[in-house]
Amino acid sequence: KAGVTQTPRYLIKTRGQQVTLSCSPISGHRSVSWYQQTPGQGLQFLFEYFSETQRNKGNFPGRFSGRQFSNSRSEMNVSTLELGDSALYLCASSPPPQSGRGSYNEQFFGPGTRLTVL
Amino acid sequence: GQSLEQPSEVTAVEGAIVQINCTYQTSGFYGLSWYQQHDGGAPTFLSYNALDGLEETGRFSSFLSRSDSYGYLLLQELQMKDSASYFCAVLPGAAGNKLTFGGGTRVLVKP
């Protein structure tokens, strides 16, 4: 099975611009979560989509948005970029939950998109 | 809200045993996970504890004590390739996959 893929891998933008990042989950995974990773704040949850609906949301401003398509692919958008948005943006997909072990807690991460805002 | 505390860095030699502690405060709790991340790489799942006790997966074991709000990851027979950052994470609710991560522990394995 192919892993989680994210495009682009690297991106350089300037303040005020907007950006769209894409994530293709593992086949059969319907849950897609997005995380921001920075040296100062660590790994922070942005939002999760399941069956084209936002199921969970983190504490980020409204400039951060996302969506999920019927094929489970997801995009996230950041508008009016700020210098502090420079980060590694990680996407993770999860399989359907199984009884017993609770595999719902196992997330498979993509390689990330490194966004630099100048 | 949720907060998880882990040591920032641990150094050990090849063949040694390292224990990475994770203490948490959370308003909801469904399980404790551990992820490994090499420099420049993506986090990869190591283990998950839904119940108190020890879970063993090869050289790595993870432990959870809900009464103490505490868990740990035990790395045995350390190898150079184990040099990485290790994150504990909690799933605060039953619905969805909203993981809250600790700050990460950087493990440096020396020859």
Side-chain angles (χ1 to χ4, degrees):
Chain A
K1 252 185 189 176
V4 177
T5 57
Q6 292 186 244
T7 56
R9 292 293 311 279
Y10 302 90
L11 206 48
I12 299 175
K13 292 284 188 179
T14 56
R15 278 182 300 173
Q17 287 187 308
Q18 74 159 15
V19 67
T20 299
L21 312 181
S22 180
C23 171
S24 292
I26 292 172
S27 177
H29 291 191
R30 292 162 62 192
S31 166
V32 174
S33 301
W34 288 89
Y35 295 85
Q36 181 196 64
Q37 186 172 29
T38 60
Q41 299 297 318
L43 269 161
Q44 292 187 288
F45 174 83
L46 281 157
F47 28 65
E48 181 207 5
Y49 285 87
F50 181 82
S51 293
E52 302 178 64
T53 302
Q54 188 180 83
R55 183 158 67 174
N56 283 290
K57 189 176 187 306
N59 298 322
F60 279 81
R63 299 186 296 107
F64 293 81
S65 63
R67 59 177 175 168
Q68 186 180 35
F69 302 95
S70 58
N71 61 358
S72 294
R73 189 178 70 85
S74 177
E75 288 181 347
M76 68 163 280
N77 185 277
V78 188
S79 63
T80 320
L81 283 166
E82 301 177 0
L83 295 179
D85 297 333
S86 293
L88 180 67
Y89 289 88
L90 292 159
C91 159
S93 71
S94 300
Q98 297 175 15
S99 61
R101 185 177 176 276
S103 64
Y104 57 83
N105 205 22
E106 180 172 357
Q107 297 197 17
F108 295 81
F109 284 82
T113 294
R114 173 75 62 185
L115 172 65
T116 301
V117 182
L118 303 175
Chain B
Q2 292 82 31
S3 70
L4 297 93
E5 296 290 328
Q6 350 176 189
S8 58
E9 193 171 297
V10 172
T11 301
V13 297
E14 272 186 299
I17 298 174
V18 159
Q19 179 172 315
I20 302 171
N21 297 324
C22 174
T23 57
Y24 60 87
Q25 291 183 325
T26 175
S27 55
F29 182 85
Y30 212 48
L32 184 70
S33 290
W34 290 91
Y35 285 79
Q36 177 193 60
Q37 185 179 30
H38 287 98
D39 284 348
T44 55
F45 175 82
L46 289 177
S47 69
Y48 170 62
N49 293 73
L51 305 173
D52 283 7
L54 193 68
E55 290 276 346
E56 296 180 83
T57 311
R59 295 186 296 113
F60 296 174
S61 304
S62 59
F63 172 83
L64 174 64
S65 169
R66 288 173 176 265
S67 59
D68 295 322
S69 297
Y70 162 76
Y72 66 72
L73 179 70
L74 195 70
L75 315 180
Q76 301 180 77
E77 300 172 23
L78 274 178
Q79 301 176 9
M80 296 297 290
K81 67 179 181 179
D82 298 330
S83 291
S85 292
Y86 294 83
F87 297 87
C88 58
V90 294
L91 194 65
N97 294 294
K98 181 180 178 180
L99 281 178
T100 298
F101 284 87
T105 299
R106 191 171 182 84
V107 173
L108 178 60
V109 181
K110 294 187 172 180

